[in-house]
Amino acid sequence: SLAALERQVFDFLGYQWAPILANFLHIIIVILGLFGTIQYRPRYIVVYAIWTAIWVTWNIFIICFYLEVGGLSKDSELLTFNISRHQSWWSENGPGCVRKEASMSGIKGLDNHSYISVIGCALEYRYIEVMHSSFQILIALVGFVYACYVVSVFTEEEDSCKYLSTDPLAKVLVNFISLSDVHLSGLSCHQTSFHLCLCVSWH
């Protein structure tokens, strides 16, 4: 999430509207996934897992865009929805880059205009963008694996609760214990959106 926020800042500086929108959706769904994990909402985590697949696909597209794969051009206005000619912020502010403005007053019809050149960049901006997207893919894959693990754990706990809820003694204890989450030695009770279950764990 912090990596997405960092990327969002630089995309804003470069007026990259398509990545800005994608980053915003990503941040919202990451928050939704965290909420689902904390509040025991497997459906929210499933939404996050599905989004990670979309997020990986988007970042693969960004990598292809900057590496000009399949006829794509990094100089096109695709990421700005063709409403501006801005490029990545890193194109003029990358490590070692020196931005120079040369007057073009000597050319007829171009008075008061300047030609901007960037020299001395230690790393071309497209590779910086590729590294950003590659890092996002790595984080997304880790998040997907973790989401699948959490959903499987929640599902196992729910199945255990459904089994215990059929036990007569468990039903008596459920009626006795308050509806709020309680933690006693040897047992833990959780309330889900479907039913109140009693999970007993022996150590």
Side-chain angles (χ1 to χ4, degrees):
S1 183
L2 291 177
L5 284 173
E6 177 265 344
R7 189 177 186 182
Q8 182 76 312
V9 169
F10 291 113
D11 285 337
F12 259 117
L13 292 173
Y15 302 99
Q16 304 292 286
W17 304 117
I20 286 170
L21 179 60
N23 293 335
F24 178 76
L25 290 174
H26 180 65
I27 292 169
I28 293 299
I29 295 181
V30 167
I31 294 173
L32 188 68
L34 291 174
F35 177 80
T37 303
I38 295 171
Q39 295 295 322
Y40 196 83
R41 303 290 180 87
R43 291 182 180 179
Y44 292 173
I45 304 174
V46 170
V47 170
Y48 168 77
I50 294 172
W51 170 256
T52 56
I54 300 173
W55 185 242
V56 167
T57 302
W58 166 255
N59 281 280
I60 290 174
F61 166 75
I62 293 295
I63 291 173
C64 293
F65 177 82
Y66 282 106
L67 294 181
E68 301 183 322
V69 176
L72 295 170
S73 173
K74 62 182 176 59
D75 297 321
S76 71
E77 301 171 10
L78 187 61
L79 298 185
T80 59
F81 295 137
N82 294 320
I83 59 177
S84 71
R85 303 184 66 86
H86 289 91
Q87 290 184 325
S88 169
W89 181 83
W90 296 103
S91 64
E92 296 181 7
N93 301 276
C97 291
V98 177
R99 184 173 181 271
K100 291 186 176 181
E101 294 187 11
S103 175
M104 300 180 69
S105 58
I107 302 177
K108 185 178 180 179
L110 292 177
D111 292 343
N112 300 322
H113 288 267
S114 298
Y115 171 75
I116 299 174
S117 63
V118 180
I119 60 174
C121 295
L123 185 63
E124 193 174 346
Y125 76 92
R126 62 175 177 167
Y127 296 121
I128 297 177
E129 293 287 0
V130 167
M131 287 190 294
H132 270 91
S133 292
S134 299
F135 184 61
Q136 289 294 327
I137 291 173
L138 178 61
I139 294 176
L141 292 176
V142 172
F144 178 80
V145 172
Y146 179 74
C148 291
Y149 169 75
V150 172
V151 169
S152 67
V153 170
F154 284 176
T155 302
E156 289 176 3
E157 288 184 358
E158 188 173 332
D159 290 341
S160 298
C161 289
K162 287 180 179 179
Y163 173 78
L164 288 173
S165 65
T166 61
D167 186 272
L169 178 59
K171 291 181 179 179
V172 172
L173 290 174
V174 167
N175 291 328
F176 181 74
I177 296 175
S178 66
L179 295 180
S180 60
D181 286 355
V182 296
H183 296 279
L184 302 174
S185 62
L187 56 86
S188 172
C189 179
H190 300 284
Q191 181 182 13
T192 70
S193 59
F194 301 104
H195 62 278
L196 178 70
C197 60
L198 182 69
C199 300
V200 182
S201 59
W202 302 99
H203 302 284

